[in-house]
Amino acid sequence: MPTLATLAVFIPTMFFISITPGMCMTLAMTLGLKIGLRRTLWMMLGEVFGVAVVAVSAVMGAAAIMLSYPALFTWFKWIGGIYLMYLGCKMYWSGSHLSLNAEADVTLSRFALMSQGFVTAIANPKGWAFMLSILPPFIDTSRSISWQLLALVAVIMLSEFVCMLIYASGGKGLKRLLNRGNNMRWMNAISGTLLIGVGIWLALS
């Protein structure tokens, strides 16, 4: 299992990454508005399992390399940390408005909704980039990787589900709130600052 110190950093980091508007959150909001929260839950179920597949695949691939070549772990931490700092800076200066540009078909079946969520998570290049840069440095290769990965993936799935629930149930009210004044810019600034801080921590730890 991850240490308490690791979880104390990982949990808020994942929450701010998840809550930041992106493909999956925009899809959740759009479906929540068009087909209702109850049916949107099927899409959310597919998305969290898609994210879990991405996370496990990213870590197992990285872990296999790091166990065979321990020296690469240091490089992985620096590359991951620098990438997070870059994403943090980019997020800090990102736009200040949220638009609902995801398409939604109100006739989709439950299986189709699950598939849409799963494929959206799998096909999201930012999701792969985040998992490859964030997860491996949080894994202690001197301890059992399986239990650590299980705990971290559970945190990721819960964080994604909670944030999508907020977006799907918030609907137009949440969109208006985010687009009001500088609210969206403040959210991006907080998330970006956190990513920069975690990137520095990962690189130097």
Side-chain angles (χ1 to χ4, degrees):
M1 293 289 288
T3 64
L4 291 178
T6 297
L7 289 175
V9 176
F10 187 75
I11 291 174
T13 299
M14 280 310 307
F15 178 78
F16 275 102
I17 289 174
S18 297
I19 199 68
T20 303
M23 287 177 59
C24 296
M25 297 302 138
T26 303
L27 179 61
M29 181 182 287
T30 304
L31 289 175
L33 286 170
K34 293 187 176 182
I35 65 176
L37 176 60
R38 183 173 297 180
R39 292 196 64 209
T40 303
L41 289 173
W42 292 102
M43 183 283 294
M44 293 162 59
L45 182 64
E47 195 273 348
V48 294
F49 279 102
V51 168
V53 170
V54 172
V56 172
S57 301
V59 170
M60 294 309 293
I65 295 174
M66 289 187 294
L67 288 174
S68 301
Y69 307 96
L72 286 179
F73 183 63
T74 301
W75 285 99
F76 227 104
K77 288 200 303 180
W78 274 97
I79 293 173
I82 292 172
Y83 182 70
L84 284 182
M85 285 184 269
Y86 162 74
L87 289 177
C89 292
K90 188 175 180 181
M91 187 178 294
Y92 190 92
W93 298 109
S94 61
S96 58
H97 292 282
L98 175 65
S99 61
L100 298 181
N101 53 12
E103 296 181 359
D105 186 347
V106 296
T107 64
L108 290 175
S109 65
R110 292 177 178 178
F111 179 77
L113 287 168
M114 289 179 63
S115 300
Q116 186 176 21
F118 185 84
V119 170
T120 299
I122 294 292
N124 186 0
K126 286 188 176 181
W128 285 95
F130 271 125
M131 296 307 171
L132 282 168
S133 60
I134 291 176
L135 275 179
F138 280 98
I139 300 292
D140 185 354
T141 54
S142 65
R143 304 167 62 191
S144 173
I145 293 177
S146 300
W147 288 107
Q148 294 180 76
L149 180 58
L150 181 63
L152 295 179
V153 169
V155 170
I156 292 170
M157 294 176 72
L158 180 60
S159 179
E160 285 285 307
F161 181 80
V162 169
C163 292
M164 282 192 295
L165 193 62
I166 292 172
Y167 273 83
S169 59
K172 292 181 180 178
L174 180 59
K175 180 176 181 287
R176 284 196 298 266
L177 176 64
L178 290 175
N179 285 338
R180 183 181 303 161
N182 291 321
N183 289 346
M184 187 69 174
R185 191 174 296 279
W186 276 109
M187 173 182 278
N188 286 332
I190 293 171
S191 301
T193 302
L194 179 63
L195 282 183
I196 293 171
V198 173
I200 295 172
W201 179 78
L202 288 178
L204 299 179
S205 63

